[in-house]
Amino acid sequence: MALFDLDPVKRNQITHYTTGILENFYHQARARDVSPDLDIHEVRAYISDFLASEETDHKKIIDHVFGGLEKHAVQVTHPSYFGLFNPRPSFPSILSDLITATTNPQMAAWTHNPYAFAVEEYLISELGKRFGYSRPDGTFCSGGAEANQTAVLCALNFHFPEYLMSGLHGLDKQPVLYCSAETHHSIAKAARMCGLGINSVKHVAINSRLQMDVADLKRKINEDKAIGLQPFLVVATAGTTGPGSIDPLKEIGEVASENNLWYHVDGAFGGALALHSTKKAILNGIELSDSITIDIHKWLAAPMGTGTFLTKHSSILGSTFRITADYMPKEGNDFDVEDPYTHSIQWSRRSLGMRMYLPLLFFGWSGFEQTIEHHMTMGNLLANILVSKGWKIMNHSDLPIICFKGKDDSDNTVRAICDYVVKSKQAWISVYPINGELCLRACITNYATTYEDVRGLVHLLENARQSLN
Ligand SMILES: *Cc1c(COP(=O)(O)O)cnc(C)c1O
């Protein structure tokens, strides 16, 4: 028996014990506090005390790890976590993690895992078609940040093929890209990481609905061209991280095409709407894009670390990322396939598509639609109850994201209300500034959130307000 394998009888006991705790964790989500007391010393001591105890009983070890994750974490799987885009993973997607960790598909070389790769190929193709791409290509990746970085690299390669060999030094003009002040900061980070620098990121003004102002986009492009800069990319967002606004996707697409810019739509959260037969109309214009980011670990309820990058240019990923390495297996050369490692930022990579494939097999595409519909219903419900209780909605989102405040609330009052809710440990919300005014922000991120959970949040908010008087 190899040390790492454990004895089979013992292993069986541990598996049984652990799945019992998992089931309890899953089933009893509402019984837990949503947010922890934050104490850096306590959490470090939790670890050092356990290590010092030199405990070797496997059940105690499992208890220690679960205990830490229960006590010292915001419970993003709690139905009253109305937070950032962190989902409660669907049960089949959790199973898929267990399965892939056990079989450990290596997604670098195609020959090692034709099945796992074909699963991803199928999903990328299906997703791309739902965005109106006729021959989509793409890759699974770690999340929106990696997908956005992939977009910036593809756009650079598309416009400046010499970038691949000589880097930015080889270019005559300084490339610049456009996004709005509400764009996710991973775009600025991507610009920094590929050597463009933050100054290459031009921020377009936003309108009163917090969408990119297309007139300002045109103006900035013209001004930059006039001073010798080289515009090459515009990034629109479908579901901004704060207020959930959707940029005018069609108009931006037209500007991109008139100016020969790569058009990327960051739909990390909102892109999920493409899986809804009628609500996908909210994303009209996205078919004009050259590439799209959509996270599976946000609205589509996969565990953390699951994003996708989609593109309508079937050879751009290969030409951007292909590097040949003599030690990589070559048996796949007889087939019409590309090795995943020549197609993405990552090299060795987990089989991420399985986290979407297993839920798909269990529930079908209609299962995703049904879940999206439920989130929208809960979002509308929350907005309606808030309005009926005299709260003012401050954003205009088609997504289940509500930014709101009392009519005369100061920033301090808003902060105090948020603190009250979070400290109650019964729900989690955040604050976000809109047009200079701090607001409360609640997002439906959990497919298990019910009418009662939504009402419970409003009840807490009302209590918070009373406690301030
Ligand atoms: C969350 C988010 C990102 C970053 O995605 P990660 O999955 O956290 O890497 C990028 N863009 C938008 C609009 C997002 O909401």
Side-chain angles (χ1 to χ4, degrees):
M1 180 196 74
L3 177 68
F4 280 7
D5 275 351
L6 295 167
D7 156 79
V9 174
K10 180 133 213 173
R11 196 165 63 222
N12 222 316
Q13 286 169 354
I14 298 168
T15 304
H16 192 72
Y17 183 71
T18 309
T19 50
I21 299 181
L22 277 175
E23 175 54 26
N24 187 54
F25 188 89
Y26 205 71
H27 192 62
Q28 301 291 338
R30 275 191 192 79
R32 289 191 296 278
D33 289 342
V34 185
S35 43
D37 293 319
L38 295 177
D39 183 333
I40 180 77
H41 304 294
E42 192 187 329
V43 69
R44 285 182 182 151
Y46 182 77
I47 295 171
S48 54
D49 291 352
F50 191 76
L51 290 171
S53 74
E54 298 186 6
E55 184 60 70
T56 54
D57 180 86
H58 292 116
K59 291 183 179 171
K60 297 246 169 64
I61 291 173
I62 300 290
D63 287 346
H64 163 71
V65 172
F66 259 103
L69 290 169
E70 267 197 58
K71 183 150 190 284
H72 299 286
V74 174
Q75 301 298 321
V76 298
T77 66
H78 195 297
S80 291
Y81 172 78
F82 296 93
L84 310 174
F85 300 141
N86 302 310
R88 171 181 174 87
S90 69
F91 184 66
S93 72
I94 294 173
L95 284 183
S96 85
D97 258 18
L98 205 59
I99 295 169
T100 47
T102 308
T103 57
N104 206 22
Q106 159 59 293
M107 296 297 283
W110 177 84
T111 52
H112 269 46
N113 285 283
Y115 169 70
F117 186 56
V119 163
E120 292 195 354
E121 204 177 39
Y122 167 76
L123 292 170
I124 291 288
S125 168
E126 285 298 310
L127 281 172
K129 284 181 190 151
R130 280 171 168 76
F131 286 102
Y133 290 174
S134 53
R135 290 187 55 237
D137 191 23
T139 180
F140 274 83
C141 58
S142 58
E146 187 187 337
N148 286 343
Q149 170 97 58
T150 303
V152 174
L153 288 166
C154 286
L156 271 175
N157 170 29
F158 187 79
H159 279 287
F160 316 101
E162 64 273 34
Y163 168 77
L164 296 182
M165 296 307 290
S166 43
L168 294 172
H169 295 294
L171 309 187
D172 301 336
K173 290 181 173 179
Q174 165 77 37
V176 285
L177 65 99
Y178 301 84
C179 59
S180 87
E182 292 288 334
T183 301
H184 193 270
H185 290 88
S186 55
I187 293 293
K189 199 169 165 184
R192 182 180 274 175
M193 286 192 288
C194 60
L196 283 164
I198 302 264
N199 291 344
S200 304
V201 181
K202 303 290 177 181
H203 287 292
V204 178
I206 45 177
N207 63 24
S208 60
R209 296 171 78 90
L210 309 183
Q211 301 164 303
M212 186 183 283
D213 176 343
V214 180
D216 190 56
L217 171 65
K218 288 186 193 165
R219 196 176 318 122
K220 287 214 159 69
I221 292 171
N222 289 334
E223 283 170 9
D224 289 343
K225 281 183 179 167
I227 58 170
L229 300 174
Q230 180 71 65
F232 76 105
L233 162 67
V234 58
V235 179
T237 307
T240 52
T241 316
S245 41
I246 296 177
D247 287 331
L249 299 178
K250 188 155 180 297
E251 289 81 352
I252 297 172
E254 284 160 4
V255 176
S257 128
E258 281 155 23
N259 290 278
N260 189 29
L261 309 183
W262 184 276
Y263 180 27
H264 179 67
V265 177
D266 180 357
F269 182 70
L273 285 176
L275 300 190
H276 192 290
S277 52
T278 55
K279 303 251 161 49
K280 68 179 181 198
I282 295 170
L283 301 177
N284 272 348
I286 201 165
E287 67 285 354
L288 301 176
S289 64
D290 295 290
S291 58
I292 298 170
T293 288
I294 164 173
D295 266 343
I296 314 303
H297 68 199
K298 286 184 172 168
W299 205 341
L300 299 176
M304 279 301 140
T306 323
T308 57
F309 169 84
L310 306 170
T311 176
K312 63 163 59 144
H313 301 270
S314 52
S315 61
I316 193 76
L317 280 169
S319 74
T320 305
F321 294 108
R322 190 177 304 110
I323 297 267
T324 47
D326 290 339
Y327 55 84
M328 293 299 283
K330 301 281 188 297
E331 307 95 80
N333 287 355
D334 296 341
F335 303 99
D336 178 23
V337 290
E338 285 207 70
D339 284 316
Y341 82 95
T342 65
H343 218 72
S344 63
I345 290 177
Q346 292 182 55
W347 198 289
S348 297
R349 169 165 79 70
R350 187 185 183 88
S351 149
L352 298 165
M354 222 54 92
R355 292 171 173 171
M356 182 168 189
Y357 189 56
L358 217 61
L360 179 68
L361 296 183
F362 274 51
F363 310 122
W365 291 104
S366 64
F368 289 112
E369 168 160 343
Q370 202 179 315
T371 298
I372 289 164
E373 179 76 31
H374 177 71
H375 285 220
M376 303 285 266
T377 306
M378 290 301 115
N380 289 336
L381 181 74
L382 176 57
N384 291 340
I385 304 183
L386 286 171
V387 169
S388 76
K389 301 270 183 193
W391 298 82
K392 190 171 163 213
I393 310 290
M394 303 292 286
N395 65 332
H396 311 266
S397 182
D398 289 316
L399 306 172
I401 301 171
I402 299 109
C403 297
F404 59 99
K405 60 184 283 188
K407 216 164 51 234
D408 303 317
D409 287 348
S410 67
D411 286 2
N412 280 339
T413 305
V414 166
R415 241 179 245 116
I417 294 173
C418 182
D419 275 357
Y420 181 98
V421 170
V422 171
K423 290 217 172 92
S424 79
K425 304 184 179 186
Q426 294 170 53
W428 199 94
I429 56 171
S430 54
V431 293
Y432 191 79
I434 291 194
N435 296 325
E437 290 181 64
L438 206 59
C439 303
L440 297 156
R441 177 188 180 282
C443 175
I444 312 292
T445 64
N446 190 319
Y447 58 82
T449 298
T450 62
Y451 180 69
E452 279 70 34
D453 297 315
V454 168
R455 273 215 323 225
L457 172 62
V458 180
H459 190 66
L460 265 178
L461 288 161
E462 301 280 299
N463 286 350
R465 173 166 306 291
Q466 260 161 29
S467 79
L468 296 176
N469 292 337

